[in-house]
Amino acid sequence: MQLSVIILNYNVRYFLELCVLSVQSALTNIDSEIIVVDNNSDDDSCEMIKTRFPTIKLIENKENVGFPKGNNIGVDQANGEYICILNPDTVVAEDTFIKVLAFAEKQQNLGIVGCKFIDGSGNFLPECKRGTPTPWVAFTKIMGLHKLFPNSRIFGKYYAQHLSENETGKVDILVGAFMLMKRNLYQELGGFDEDCFMYSDDFDLSYRVLQTARSNYYFPETTIIHYKGESTVKDGAYMKRFQEAMQFFYKKHFKVYPLFTLFMKTGSYFFSFSKRVQGQSIIKKNPKSYLLYSLDEELVKKLTVILQKKVSFHNLKTEKMVISSPYRSAKEVEIILDNEFISFKEYIAILESSENKGLTFKILPKNANFLIGSNNSNERGEIIKME
């Protein structure tokens, strides 16, 4: 078997369904398996997997064991030569794994491969490629120096700004939402460090790969959506765990002094607090109307009743290629894309082409009874049930 995709889930049932649909489409021509590990969700995630995806291997943990242990449990059951650690709040294109595997096969001393991330509105997420967060690099991040000097090699290391978002190359750190690597390397390293509950586990694993003289790669020739806000609620528990995670990483890999420890604790607090404030300060858009791209005209009537707003129909046969161009300034209009007639690759491309245009999107997953999407990466997404 060539590839095992490990998806660790905790209470994101609808995003998980969308994710698995996209992964299945992407694995059609690959000898592969999908393993969903559930960390004791109290929604109906497990029942959904059993009903809609009965052939998928489902592991039901009896407690929330955290990100590292949950993924380690999944990899223990994997059979693929390669594994891909994948967040449930992601959407991959139909050719994502084909492209990434082809790239991986060409590399010598391969470590981890990551890809390009965008959020639910098509905006690039810079954390998909990062440098080692040494004390200096962490300082530049916390003080915002990477923003003040975006082209500086000295101040731009946190987000590996030596590479543009569309440039393939070596990086130190990749994000745990998408990590593809050889299974035997993962096992050689002992997987994610289970002493860290979450947040710095991907830093740690990426850094340990580098210590084996292997190379990690950022590969932007395929783009995935990472809704991001779904994985973490930015509350007090988030701030506490974020601080603990950073302290864990520094104590494990760097010699630090009490003054620096105090600085990092304070900096981590303000960094995580700012993330929470960003999420709270965002005013949610309330669309005045919707644009449905589909071939099913009857769907307009149903959506009009459910949404209680005007829904315009656009026939994909004639208007598919101009989805974003006529409505670039229509910030109170939301676009609905019907996955029955629009592929995941097309969906991702549409969002990517709409970066910074103020557009918002929902997707109607194939054979599903809900709309789903997220307007930015600092808040939870929205699910609209169509029952």
Side-chain angles (χ1 to χ4, degrees), residues 116-126 165-166 223 324 328 348-361:
K116 182 178 179 180
F117 288 12
I118 59 173
D119 67 14
S121 292
N123 300 308
F124 174 65
L125 294 173
E165 65 181 79
N166 295 315
T223 301
S324 63
R328 289 177 181 174
I348 293 168
I350 290 165
L351 265 61
E352 195 168 11
S353 69
S354 303
E355 183 177 14
N356 299 321
K357 292 186 172 72
L359 293 166
T360 59
F361 298 87

Side-chain angles (χ1 to χ4, degrees), residues 51-71:
T51 302
R52 180 150 195 194
F53 307 103
T55 61
I56 286 179
K57 186 181 295 184
L58 173 64
I59 300 171
E60 298 181 67
N61 292 331
K62 300 305 179 185
E63 60 180 324
N64 184 357
V65 298
F67 183 90
K69 187 172 183 178
N71 277 297

Side-chain angles (χ1 to χ4, degrees), residues 48-245:
M48 180 275 294
I49 291 293
K50 292 174 185 176
T51 302
R52 180 150 195 194
F53 307 103
T55 61
I56 286 179
K57 186 181 295 184
L58 173 64
I59 300 171
E60 298 181 67
N61 292 331
K62 300 305 179 185
E63 60 180 324
N64 184 357
V65 298
F67 183 90
K69 187 172 183 178
N71 277 297
N72 289 345
I73 288 171
V75 175
D76 283 344
Q77 298 294 315
N79 298 300
E81 177 186 3
Y82 289 88
I83 59 164
C84 181
I85 304 298
L86 187 69
N87 265 29
D89 56 348
T90 58
V91 177
V92 302
E94 281 79 1
D95 58 359
T96 289
F97 296 119
I98 292 173
K99 285 185 173 181
V100 176
L101 286 169
F103 174 80
E105 290 284 359
K106 296 176 183 177
Q107 309 310 314
Q108 298 292 325
N109 298 317
L110 176 70
I112 305 171
V113 182
C115 62
K116 182 178 179 180
F117 288 12
I118 59 173
D119 67 14
S121 292
N123 300 308
F124 174 65
L125 294 173
E127 62 268 21
C128 57
K129 56 179 180 69
R130 294 177 292 195
T132 300
T134 62
W136 165 251
V137 171
F139 176 80
T140 64
K141 165 63 177 174
I142 290 172
M143 299 304 293
L145 298 176
H146 65 294
K147 293 181 179 179
L148 293 175
F149 307 98
N151 298 319
S152 170
R153 285 185 172 270
I154 297 175
F155 299 123
K157 291 184 177 180
Y158 188 86
Y159 288 129
Q161 288 165 238
H162 66 286
L163 292 177
S164 71
E165 65 181 79
N166 295 315
E167 183 181 0
T168 298
K170 294 180 181 181
V171 295
D172 290 350
I173 307 297
L174 294 162
V175 67
F178 183 104
M179 285 180 150
L180 186 137
M181 61 192 299
K182 289 283 187 75
R183 179 166 58 96
N184 60 8
L185 173 58
Y186 188 95
Q187 293 171 327
E188 174 189 327
L189 294 170
F192 288 110
D193 190 331
E194 295 180 13
D195 288 335
C196 177
F197 188 81
M198 62 190 306
Y199 298 130
S200 69
D201 31 59
D202 48 3
F203 282 85
D204 175 64
L205 183 63
S206 298
Y207 190 71
R208 285 188 285 128
V209 166
L210 297 179
Q211 292 175 321
T212 68
R214 292 178 173 89
S215 297
N216 298 327
Y217 290 92
Y218 171 66
F219 178 73
E221 292 183 31
T222 185
T223 301
I224 72 169
I225 300 169
H226 184 202
Y227 291 108
K228 190 180 175 183
E230 292 312 302
S231 302
T232 305
V233 178
K234 307 294 191 297
D235 56 11
Y238 165 82
M239 289 191 285
K240 182 175 183 294
R241 285 179 177 167
F242 181 84
Q243 294 167 31
E244 292 173 348

Side-chain angles (χ1 to χ4, degrees), residues 135 138-139 142-143 258-269:
F139 176 80
I142 290 172
M143 299 304 293
L259 183 61
F260 178 76
T261 300
L262 178 62
F263 168 76
M264 284 306 303
K265 185 174 182 179
T266 305
S268 296
Y269 174 83

